[in-house]
Amino acid sequence: MMDENKQINNTSQQLGEPTEVKQAMKSDSPAQINFNESGNEVTEQVTSQANVPGDAATINAETGVAATDNTGVETAALAELTQQIESLKTQLEERSTQYMRIAADFENYRKRTSKEKEELETLMKRNTILELLPVVDNFERARSHLKPQSDGEMTMHKSYQGVYKQLVDSLKRLGVSPMRPEGQEFDPNLHEAVMREPTDEHPEGTVLEELVRGYYLGERVLRHAMVKVAAPKEDTPSTEEDQSSQAFS
């Protein structure tokens, strides 16, 4: 064994190997050669690897805090937008209700003014026509009395009839129409009774004659008709009853 070590030393000296190698080769545990340096490198690598999770955890924590802050900002912004939307909805409903109310008020105002305008026009038309009706009455009276005999009178009569017809046509265009009450039952809403005539030929309350013509303006009464109405005939005592009453007197 000693001879082998000597041979190794001699060989090492001849090859010019360092003394540390010689000692290492002399030692009983060859696996320990240069392990200190390798161990230091491994230790540094392990330490650096051990430090990495701590840095990653710090980064993850900072990222989580930033994400939480972003989430809080987004939640606040969303809540503010939701509140603005609700406020706008409320304003829209109020404006819609106000618009509907104004529209209804305007429609009622339009109908009311239209009705008042129609009533005013009807009243003006009625008053104007009432002023013209006496003229029509005089035309009718004159026509009933005129009895032309000669050609000249007939010519005047035709001219008179032409003027009367023109006047009547104008009244018709304005919505005026005459009443025809003869033979109808007396109606106080349409007729004005100025005379009563006892008779057995017609039931009581029947219009016998129209003395002054009545007129309608559309569906309304323009002027009531003055009429003569049938009345029940009074019973007169017979001749025999008169004689008997005279005998006992």
Side-chain angles (χ1 to χ4, degrees), residues 55-87:
D55 296 338
T58 303
I59 294 172
N60 291 333
E62 293 177 353
T63 305
V65 171
T68 304
D69 293 340
N70 292 334
T71 303
V73 172
E74 292 177 357
T75 303
L78 181 60
E80 184 178 358
L81 290 176
T82 303
Q83 185 178 1
Q84 291 179 0
I85 291 173
E86 294 297 330
S87 177

PDB file of all heavy atoms in Angstrom, residues 55-87:
ATOM      1  N   ASP A  55     -40.888  37.129  -3.153  1.00  0.00           N
ATOM      2  CA  ASP A  55     -41.102  38.251  -4.082  1.00  0.00           C
ATOM      3  C   ASP A  55     -42.399  38.066  -4.852  1.00  0.00           C
ATOM      4  O   ASP A  55     -43.157  39.016  -5.076  1.00  0.00           O
ATOM      5  CB  ASP A  55     -39.913  38.352  -5.033  1.00  0.00           C
ATOM      6  CG  ASP A  55     -38.618  38.696  -4.293  1.00  0.00           C
ATOM      7  OD1 ASP A  55     -38.750  39.246  -3.171  1.00  0.00           O
ATOM      8  OD2 ASP A  55     -37.541  38.401  -4.843  1.00  0.00           O
ATOM      9  N   ALA A  56     -42.657  36.824  -5.294  1.00  0.00           N
ATOM     10  CA  ALA A  56     -43.906  36.560  -6.033  1.00  0.00           C
ATOM     11  C   ALA A  56     -45.124  36.829  -5.161  1.00  0.00           C
ATOM     12  O   ALA A  56     -46.134  37.371  -5.612  1.00  0.00           O
ATOM     13  CB  ALA A  56     -43.915  35.113  -6.537  1.00  0.00           C
ATOM     14  N   ALA A  57     -45.042  36.458  -3.908  1.00  0.00           N
ATOM     15  CA  ALA A  57     -46.169  36.711  -2.993  1.00  0.00           C
ATOM     16  C   ALA A  57     -46.393  38.192  -2.821  1.00  0.00           C
ATOM     17  O   ALA A  57     -47.539  38.675  -2.778  1.00  0.00           O
ATOM     18  CB  ALA A  57     -45.894  36.053  -1.631  1.00  0.00           C
ATOM     19  N   THR A  58     -45.283  38.950  -2.750  1.00  0.00           N
ATOM     20  CA  THR A  58     -45.421  40.413  -2.623  1.00  0.00           C
ATOM     21  C   THR A  58     -46.076  41.004  -3.852  1.00  0.00           C
ATOM     22  O   THR A  58     -46.987  41.848  -3.763  1.00  0.00           O
ATOM     23  CB  THR A  58     -44.043  41.036  -2.415  1.00  0.00           C
ATOM     24  OG1 THR A  58     -43.434  40.457  -1.263  1.00  0.00           O
ATOM     25  CG2 THR A  58     -44.158  42.550  -2.229  1.00  0.00           C
ATOM     26  N   ILE A  59     -45.648  40.524  -5.020  1.00  0.00           N
ATOM     27  CA  ILE A  59     -46.249  41.017  -6.280  1.00  0.00           C
ATOM     28  C   ILE A  59     -47.730  40.657  -6.345  1.00  0.00           C
ATOM     29  O   ILE A  59     -48.580  41.462  -6.721  1.00  0.00           O
ATOM     30  CB  ILE A  59     -45.482  40.438  -7.481  1.00  0.00           C
ATOM     31  CG1 ILE A  59     -44.064  40.992  -7.496  1.00  0.00           C
ATOM     32  CG2 ILE A  59     -46.199  40.748  -8.785  1.00  0.00           C
ATOM     33  CD1 ILE A  59     -43.167  40.329  -8.536  1.00  0.00           C
ATOM     34  N   ASN A  60     -48.020  39.394  -5.953  1.00  0.00           N
ATOM     35  CA  ASN A  60     -49.432  38.971  -5.976  1.00  0.00           C
ATOM     36  C   ASN A  60     -50.271  39.807  -5.012  1.00  0.00           C
ATOM     37  O   ASN A  60     -51.415  40.164  -5.289  1.00  0.00           O
ATOM     38  CB  ASN A  60     -49.544  37.494  -5.610  1.00  0.00           C
ATOM     39  CG  ASN A  60     -48.965  36.602  -6.696  1.00  0.00           C
ATOM     40  OD1 ASN A  60     -48.949  36.995  -7.868  1.00  0.00           O
ATOM     41  ND2 ASN A  60     -48.494  35.412  -6.321  1.00  0.00           N
ATOM     42  N   ALA A  61     -49.713  40.134  -3.858  1.00  0.00           N
ATOM     43  CA  ALA A  61     -50.456  40.951  -2.885  1.00  0.00           C
ATOM     44  C   ALA A  61     -50.719  42.340  -3.434  1.00  0.00           C
ATOM     45  O   ALA A  61     -51.824  42.881  -3.313  1.00  0.00           O
ATOM     46  CB  ALA A  61     -49.661  41.023  -1.571  1.00  0.00           C
ATOM     47  N   GLU A  62     -49.657  42.920  -4.041  1.00  0.00           N
ATOM     48  CA  GLU A  62     -49.848  44.251  -4.625  1.00  0.00           C
ATOM     49  C   GLU A  62     -50.875  44.218  -5.754  1.00  0.00           C
ATOM     50  O   GLU A  62     -51.714  45.110  -5.875  1.00  0.00           O
ATOM     51  CB  GLU A  62     -48.512  44.771  -5.140  1.00  0.00           C
ATOM     52  CG  GLU A  62     -47.501  45.051  -4.033  1.00  0.00           C
ATOM     53  CD  GLU A  62     -46.156  45.500  -4.589  1.00  0.00           C
ATOM     54  OE1 GLU A  62     -46.022  45.448  -5.837  1.00  0.00           O
ATOM     55  OE2 GLU A  62     -45.285  45.885  -3.805  1.00  0.00           O
ATOM     56  N   THR A  63     -50.817  43.158  -6.590  1.00  0.00           N
ATOM     57  CA  THR A  63     -51.803  43.012  -7.682  1.00  0.00           C
ATOM     58  C   THR A  63     -53.214  42.878  -7.136  1.00  0.00           C
ATOM     59  O   THR A  63     -54.180  43.448  -7.645  1.00  0.00           O
ATOM     60  CB  THR A  63     -51.452  41.805  -8.552  1.00  0.00           C
ATOM     61  OG1 THR A  63     -50.109  41.942  -9.007  1.00  0.00           O
ATOM     62  CG2 THR A  63     -52.397  41.698  -9.730  1.00  0.00           C
ATOM     63  N   GLY A  64     -53.354  42.108  -6.036  1.00  0.00           N
ATOM     64  CA  GLY A  64     -54.681  41.941  -5.425  1.00  0.00           C
ATOM     65  C   GLY A  64     -55.218  43.244  -4.877  1.00  0.00           C
ATOM     66  O   GLY A  64     -56.408  43.559  -5.013  1.00  0.00           O
ATOM     67  N   VAL A  65     -54.335  44.027  -4.254  1.00  0.00           N
ATOM     68  CA  VAL A  65     -54.781  45.323  -3.723  1.00  0.00           C
ATOM     69  C   VAL A  65     -55.211  46.243  -4.848  1.00  0.00           C
ATOM     70  O   VAL A  65     -56.251  46.912  -4.792  1.00  0.00           O
ATOM     71  CB  VAL A  65     -53.653  45.968  -2.897  1.00  0.00           C
ATOM     72  CG1 VAL A  65     -54.016  47.404  -2.518  1.00  0.00           C
ATOM     73  CG2 VAL A  65     -53.379  45.155  -1.638  1.00  0.00           C
ATOM     74  N   ALA A  66     -54.411  46.238  -5.965  1.00  0.00           N
ATOM     75  CA  ALA A  66     -54.783  47.077  -7.111  1.00  0.00           C
ATOM     76  C   ALA A  66     -56.098  46.619  -7.718  1.00  0.00           C
ATOM     77  O   ALA A  66     -56.950  47.443  -8.083  1.00  0.00           O
ATOM     78  CB  ALA A  66     -53.661  47.034  -8.151  1.00  0.00           C
ATOM     79  N   ALA A  67     -56.286  45.292  -7.819  1.00  0.00           N
ATOM     80  CA  ALA A  67     -57.552  44.773  -8.368  1.00  0.00           C
ATOM     81  C   ALA A  67     -58.716  45.147  -7.472  1.00  0.00           C
ATOM     82  O   ALA A  67     -59.809  45.501  -7.945  1.00  0.00           O
ATOM     83  CB  ALA A  67     -57.457  43.247  -8.534  1.00  0.00           C
ATOM     84  N   THR A  68     -58.510  45.088  -6.148  1.00  0.00           N
ATOM     85  CA  THR A  68     -59.583  45.467  -5.217  1.00  0.00           C
ATOM     86  C   THR A  68     -59.940  46.938  -5.357  1.00  0.00           C
ATOM     87  O   THR A  68     -61.117  47.320  -5.364  1.00  0.00           O
ATOM     88  CB  THR A  68     -59.145  45.169  -3.776  1.00  0.00           C
ATOM     89  OG1 THR A  68     -58.791  43.797  -3.662  1.00  0.00           O
ATOM     90  CG2 THR A  68     -60.267  45.494  -2.799  1.00  0.00           C
ATOM     91  N   ASP A  69     -58.869  47.772  -5.521  1.00  0.00           N
ATOM     92  CA  ASP A  69     -59.120  49.197  -5.705  1.00  0.00           C
ATOM     93  C   ASP A  69     -59.888  49.456  -7.004  1.00  0.00           C
ATOM     94  O   ASP A  69     -60.837  50.250  -7.029  1.00  0.00           O
ATOM     95  CB  ASP A  69     -57.788  49.962  -5.723  1.00  0.00           C
ATOM     96  CG  ASP A  69     -57.093  49.918  -4.363  1.00  0.00           C
ATOM     97  OD1 ASP A  69     -57.790  49.648  -3.355  1.00  0.00           O
ATOM     98  OD2 ASP A  69     -55.860  50.129  -4.318  1.00  0.00           O
ATOM     99  N   ASN A  70     -59.481  48.772  -8.070  1.00  0.00           N
ATOM    100  CA  ASN A  70     -60.190  48.939  -9.351  1.00  0.00           C
ATOM    101  C   ASN A  70     -61.634  48.491  -9.242  1.00  0.00           C
ATOM    102  O   ASN A  70     -62.546  49.128  -9.771  1.00  0.00           O
ATOM    103  CB  ASN A  70     -59.470  48.150 -10.446  1.00  0.00           C
ATOM    104  CG  ASN A  70     -58.108  48.733 -10.772  1.00  0.00           C
ATOM    105  OD1 ASN A  70     -57.878  49.930 -10.579  1.00  0.00           O
ATOM    106  ND2 ASN A  70     -57.190  47.909 -11.269  1.00  0.00           N
ATOM    107  N   THR A  71     -61.875  47.375  -8.554  1.00  0.00           N
ATOM    108  CA  THR A  71     -63.242  46.873  -8.376  1.00  0.00           C
ATOM    109  C   THR A  71     -64.085  47.876  -7.591  1.00  0.00           C
ATOM    110  O   THR A  71     -65.250  48.137  -7.910  1.00  0.00           O
ATOM    111  CB  THR A  71     -63.224  45.529  -7.653  1.00  0.00           C
ATOM    112  OG1 THR A  71     -62.414  44.610  -8.389  1.00  0.00           O
ATOM    113  CG2 THR A  71     -64.635  44.968  -7.517  1.00  0.00           C
ATOM    114  N   GLY A  72     -63.493  48.458  -6.546  1.00  0.00           N
ATOM    115  CA  GLY A  72     -64.224  49.458  -5.763  1.00  0.00           C
ATOM    116  C   GLY A  72     -64.571  50.678  -6.590  1.00  0.00           C
ATOM    117  O   GLY A  72     -65.689  51.214  -6.502  1.00  0.00           O
ATOM    118  N   VAL A  73     -63.631  51.132  -7.430  1.00  0.00           N
ATOM    119  CA  VAL A  73     -63.899  52.301  -8.289  1.00  0.00           C
ATOM    120  C   VAL A  73     -64.996  51.989  -9.286  1.00  0.00           C
ATOM    121  O   VAL A  73     -65.917  52.795  -9.524  1.00  0.00           O
ATOM    122  CB  VAL A  73     -62.601  52.731  -9.003  1.00  0.00           C
ATOM    123  CG1 VAL A  73     -62.893  53.799 -10.040  1.00  0.00           C
ATOM    124  CG2 VAL A  73     -61.581  53.238  -7.999  1.00  0.00           C
ATOM    125  N   GLU A  74     -64.915  50.784  -9.895  1.00  0.00           N
ATOM    126  CA  GLU A  74     -65.945  50.402 -10.865  1.00  0.00           C
ATOM    127  C   GLU A  74     -67.318  50.288 -10.207  1.00  0.00           C
ATOM    128  O   GLU A  74     -68.333  50.688 -10.776  1.00  0.00           O
ATOM    129  CB  GLU A  74     -65.555  49.077 -11.516  1.00  0.00           C
ATOM    130  CG  GLU A  74     -64.332  49.179 -12.420  1.00  0.00           C
ATOM    131  CD  GLU A  74     -63.935  47.831 -12.990  1.00  0.00           C
ATOM    132  OE1 GLU A  74     -64.594  46.830 -12.611  1.00  0.00           O
ATOM    133  OE2 GLU A  74     -62.992  47.782 -13.810  1.00  0.00           O
ATOM    134  N   THR A  75     -67.353  49.740  -8.991  1.00  0.00           N
ATOM    135  CA  THR A  75     -68.633  49.624  -8.277  1.00  0.00           C
ATOM    136  C   THR A  75     -69.224  50.992  -7.970  1.00  0.00           C
ATOM    137  O   THR A  75     -70.430  51.232  -8.134  1.00  0.00           O
ATOM    138  CB  THR A  75     -68.433  48.842  -6.969  1.00  0.00           C
ATOM    139  OG1 THR A  75     -67.871  47.559  -7.267  1.00  0.00           O
ATOM    140  CG2 THR A  75     -69.763  48.656  -6.250  1.00  0.00           C
ATOM    141  N   ALA A  76     -68.389  51.921  -7.537  1.00  0.00           N
ATOM    142  CA  ALA A  76     -68.863  53.278  -7.244  1.00  0.00           C
ATOM    143  C   ALA A  76     -69.360  53.972  -8.500  1.00  0.00           C
ATOM    144  O   ALA A  76     -70.409  54.635  -8.499  1.00  0.00           O
ATOM    145  CB  ALA A  76     -67.742  54.092  -6.599  1.00  0.00           C
ATOM    146  N   ALA A  77     -68.609  53.797  -9.608  1.00  0.00           N
ATOM    147  CA  ALA A  77     -69.040  54.413 -10.877  1.00  0.00           C
ATOM    148  C   ALA A  77     -70.355  53.812 -11.349  1.00  0.00           C
ATOM    149  O   ALA A  77     -71.251  54.528 -11.827  1.00  0.00           O
ATOM    150  CB  ALA A  77     -67.956  54.225 -11.933  1.00  0.00           C
ATOM    151  N   LEU A  78     -70.489  52.482 -11.206  1.00  0.00           N
ATOM    152  CA  LEU A  78     -71.735  51.819 -11.607  1.00  0.00           C
ATOM    153  C   LEU A  78     -72.907  52.294 -10.756  1.00  0.00           C
ATOM    154  O   LEU A  78     -74.014  52.534 -11.266  1.00  0.00           O
ATOM    155  CB  LEU A  78     -71.564  50.308 -11.477  1.00  0.00           C
ATOM    156  CG  LEU A  78     -72.780  49.449 -11.881  1.00  0.00           C
ATOM    157  CD1 LEU A  78     -73.134  49.713 -13.346  1.00  0.00           C
ATOM    158  CD2 LEU A  78     -72.485  47.971 -11.661  1.00  0.00           C
ATOM    159  N   ALA A  79     -72.684  52.447  -9.463  1.00  0.00           N
ATOM    160  CA  ALA A  79     -73.754  52.940  -8.581  1.00  0.00           C
ATOM    161  C   ALA A  79     -74.160  54.363  -8.953  1.00  0.00           C
ATOM    162  O   ALA A  79     -75.350  54.702  -8.970  1.00  0.00           O
ATOM    163  CB  ALA A  79     -73.289  52.886  -7.126  1.00  0.00           C
ATOM    164  N   GLU A  80     -73.174  55.186  -9.287  1.00  0.00           N
ATOM    165  CA  GLU A  80     -73.481  56.564  -9.685  1.00  0.00           C
ATOM    166  C   GLU A  80     -74.263  56.599 -10.988  1.00  0.00           C
ATOM    167  O   GLU A  80     -75.238  57.359 -11.126  1.00  0.00           O
ATOM    168  CB  GLU A  80     -72.180  57.352  -9.830  1.00  0.00           C
ATOM    169  CG  GLU A  80     -72.399  58.839 -10.157  1.00  0.00           C
ATOM    170  CD  GLU A  80     -71.085  59.598 -10.244  1.00  0.00           C
ATOM    171  OE1 GLU A  80     -70.028  58.966 -10.008  1.00  0.00           O
ATOM    172  OE2 GLU A  80     -71.138  60.800 -10.543  1.00  0.00           O
ATOM    173  N   LEU A  81     -73.868  55.776 -11.950  1.00  0.00           N
ATOM    174  CA  LEU A  81     -74.605  55.716 -13.223  1.00  0.00           C
ATOM    175  C   LEU A  81     -76.027  55.202 -13.015  1.00  0.00           C
ATOM    176  O   LEU A  81     -76.976  55.703 -13.628  1.00  0.00           O
ATOM    177  CB  LEU A  81     -73.853  54.812 -14.205  1.00  0.00           C
ATOM    178  CG  LEU A  81     -72.526  55.346 -14.744  1.00  0.00           C
ATOM    179  CD1 LEU A  81     -71.847  54.305 -15.615  1.00  0.00           C
ATOM    180  CD2 LEU A  81     -72.750  56.631 -15.535  1.00  0.00           C
ATOM    181  N   THR A  82     -76.161  54.191 -12.150  1.00  0.00           N
ATOM    182  CA  THR A  82     -77.508  53.666 -11.854  1.00  0.00           C
ATOM    183  C   THR A  82     -78.386  54.743 -11.246  1.00  0.00           C
ATOM    184  O   THR A  82     -79.566  54.890 -11.598  1.00  0.00           O
ATOM    185  CB  THR A  82     -77.404  52.467 -10.908  1.00  0.00           C
ATOM    186  OG1 THR A  82     -76.558  51.466 -11.501  1.00  0.00           O
ATOM    187  CG2 THR A  82     -78.785  51.866 -10.660  1.00  0.00           C
ATOM    188  N   GLN A  83     -77.816  55.519 -10.328  1.00  0.00           N
ATOM    189  CA  GLN A  83     -78.571  56.608  -9.696  1.00  0.00           C
ATOM    190  C   GLN A  83     -78.962  57.663 -10.726  1.00  0.00           C
ATOM    191  O   GLN A  83     -80.089  58.180 -10.711  1.00  0.00           O
ATOM    192  CB  GLN A  83     -77.737  57.228  -8.584  1.00  0.00           C
ATOM    193  CG  GLN A  83     -78.470  58.297  -7.778  1.00  0.00           C
ATOM    194  CD  GLN A  83     -77.620  58.842  -6.655  1.00  0.00           C
ATOM    195  OE1 GLN A  83     -76.471  58.432  -6.500  1.00  0.00           O
ATOM    196  NE2 GLN A  83     -78.173  59.750  -5.878  1.00  0.00           N
ATOM    197  N   GLN A  84     -78.050  57.974 -11.639  1.00  0.00           N
ATOM    198  CA  GLN A  84     -78.368  58.945 -12.688  1.00  0.00           C
ATOM    199  C   GLN A  84     -79.477  58.427 -13.598  1.00  0.00           C
ATOM    200  O   GLN A  84     -80.376  59.183 -13.994  1.00  0.00           O
ATOM    201  CB  GLN A  84     -77.116  59.252 -13.508  1.00  0.00           C
ATOM    202  CG  GLN A  84     -76.051  60.041 -12.749  1.00  0.00           C
ATOM    203  CD  GLN A  84     -74.824  60.292 -13.587  1.00  0.00           C
ATOM    204  OE1 GLN A  84     -74.764  59.881 -14.750  1.00  0.00           O
ATOM    205  NE2 GLN A  84     -73.838  60.976 -13.018  1.00  0.00           N
ATOM    206  N   ILE A  85     -79.435  57.140 -13.927  1.00  0.00           N
ATOM    207  CA  ILE A  85     -80.471  56.548 -14.779  1.00  0.00           C
ATOM    208  C   ILE A  85     -81.832  56.617 -14.099  1.00  0.00           C
ATOM    209  O   ILE A  85     -82.849  56.971 -14.711  1.00  0.00           O
ATOM    210  CB  ILE A  85     -80.103  55.099 -15.132  1.00  0.00           C
ATOM    211  CG1 ILE A  85     -78.889  55.072 -16.068  1.00  0.00           C
ATOM    212  CG2 ILE A  85     -81.279  54.382 -15.781  1.00  0.00           C
ATOM    213  CD1 ILE A  85     -78.340  53.691 -16.331  1.00  0.00           C
ATOM    214  N   GLU A  86     -81.873  56.276 -12.799  1.00  0.00           N
ATOM    215  CA  GLU A  86     -83.135  56.344 -12.061  1.00  0.00           C
ATOM    216  C   GLU A  86     -83.660  57.777 -12.000  1.00  0.00           C
ATOM    217  O   GLU A  86     -84.860  58.030 -12.142  1.00  0.00           O
ATOM    218  CB  GLU A  86     -82.946  55.789 -10.650  1.00  0.00           C
ATOM    219  CG  GLU A  86     -82.636  54.302 -10.594  1.00  0.00           C
ATOM    220  CD  GLU A  86     -83.770  53.453 -11.145  1.00  0.00           C
ATOM    221  OE1 GLU A  86     -84.936  53.897 -11.040  1.00  0.00           O
ATOM    222  OE2 GLU A  86     -83.489  52.372 -11.683  1.00  0.00           O
ATOM    223  N   SER A  87     -82.750  58.721 -11.819  1.00  0.00           N
ATOM    224  CA  SER A  87     -83.159  60.134 -11.782  1.00  0.00           C
ATOM    225  C   SER A  87     -83.723  60.569 -13.125  1.00  0.00           C
ATOM    226  O   SER A  87     -84.760  61.259 -13.199  1.00  0.00           O
ATOM    227  CB  SER A  87     -81.969  61.003 -11.397  1.00  0.00           C
ATOM    228  OG  SER A  87     -82.325  62.371 -11.420  1.00  0.00           O
TER     229      SER A  87
END
